[in-house]
Amino acid sequence: MQKPERSILMLFKEIHEGMETAFNELFLAYYDRLVAFSVQYVKQQECAEEITSELFVKLWLRRNALYDILNPEVYLYVAVKNASLNYLRGDKKNNRALFDGIEKADILPFGDYHSPELETKELTRKLDEAIAALPEQRRMIFRLIKEDGLKCREVARILNISVRTVENQMYKAVKNLADAISPYLGYHPQKKISKKQAFSNLPLLFFL
């Protein structure tokens, strides 16, 4: 997944100043992941693409208001979430991306679950199937943290739940995945690892 060359805060500042190159960089870095996030709500790729495209259009049109946004990444996800929920309610008129006053978080993101030890087609397929089978909220939390690299507090703000709920659901997600792939591995990746260890060092769950 493509990452922006500069920080998203810098990109928002430059977009606020009217720099199209910054807008293009932000679009390339976040469009696909925001579409994927929207799909988890609206269940339709085309609708999710429309919602995300409208968000970026409004982002540019309202660029004068971007300077005061403290956490642009959470801003984008919350905007897509709200627009997706409004779409489901049939309320397209209120699909607006205005979510200010979000504080930064300093919790470290987790690493990518596709490590070298998992780079076999069969195991990767089994892991992807296990992720798809997770309960909706658990799957969403796992993907936001593991695939999009968001922090626990950011995910909590995006989904409007507590940080503790995010942590618990993330731990349960990892346990579910470990249970799912243990028959293929021939051992249980979570065995003898405490919940605290599991959450603080998630990659080890699959490779120990």
Side-chain angles (χ1 to χ4, degrees):
M1 187 174 293
Q2 182 173 351
K3 294 287 187 180
E5 296 179 1
R6 290 163 294 165
S7 73
I8 188 172
L9 275 171
M10 178 61 69
L11 292 178
F12 261 50
K13 180 179 179 181
E14 292 181 359
I15 293 170
H16 167 75
E17 295 170 354
M19 295 181 63
E20 293 184 16
T21 54
F23 177 82
N24 291 337
E25 185 176 339
L26 183 76
F27 181 88
L28 291 173
Y30 283 92
Y31 178 81
D32 287 342
R33 68 180 76 179
L34 291 174
V35 168
F37 182 57
S38 179
V39 165
Q40 297 187 66
Y41 287 99
V42 300
K43 310 301 182 186
Q44 297 180 42
Q45 180 74 17
E46 186 176 346
C47 293
E49 290 175 356
E50 179 183 346
I51 288 168
T52 305
S53 296
E54 288 181 1
L55 166 64
F56 277 100
V57 170
K58 291 175 182 177
L59 192 72
W60 178 254
L61 293 177
R62 300 174 184 175
R63 58 188 179 276
N64 290 335
L66 298 183
Y67 190 78
D68 294 328
I69 295 174
L70 300 180
N71 194 321
E73 195 163 41
V74 172
Y75 170 93
L76 292 175
Y77 278 95
V78 169
V80 167
K81 171 190 153 185
N82 290 341
S84 298
L85 293 176
N86 284 336
Y87 179 89
L88 294 175
R89 299 185 190 109
D91 188 11
K92 296 182 180 180
K93 293 181 180 180
N94 290 324
N95 285 350
R96 291 175 292 188
L98 299 176
F99 193 84
D100 299 335
I102 305 172
E103 298 177 357
K104 295 181 181 179
D106 295 320
I107 298 178
L108 294 175
F110 300 102
D112 190 356
Y113 65 88
H114 287 294
S115 76
E117 289 84 348
L118 288 178
E119 289 305 325
T120 67
K121 290 183 179 180
E122 180 65 15
L123 184 53
T124 299
R125 182 183 66 81
K126 289 182 179 295
L127 187 54
D128 288 340
E129 289 176 352
I131 293 170
L134 292 172
E136 182 175 1
Q137 184 188 65
R138 195 171 301 170
R139 181 178 67 250
M140 197 175 296
I141 289 170
F142 182 86
R143 284 178 168 164
L144 287 172
I145 291 176
K146 297 290 283 180
E147 296 180 3
D148 290 0
L150 295 178
K151 302 167 186 177
C152 294
R153 292 187 183 276
E154 292 173 333
V155 173
R157 288 183 180 277
I158 290 167
L159 300 181
N160 195 29
I161 56 180
S162 69
V163 175
R164 182 178 294 276
T165 297
V166 172
E167 292 173 347
N168 286 339
Q169 287 298 311
M170 189 62 188
Y171 175 72
K172 289 177 181 178
V174 173
K175 185 178 185 303
N176 292 154
L177 299 182
D179 290 342
I181 65 173
S182 60
Y184 180 85
L185 295 176
Y187 66 94
H188 198 288
Q190 265 193 323
K191 190 175 182 181
K192 297 182 180 179
I193 298 178
S194 69
K195 181 174 180 179
K196 182 177 180 181
Q197 288 174 313
F199 192 72
S200 63
N201 202 356
L202 281 171
L204 293 179
L205 293 175
F206 295 114
F207 315 136
L208 286 179

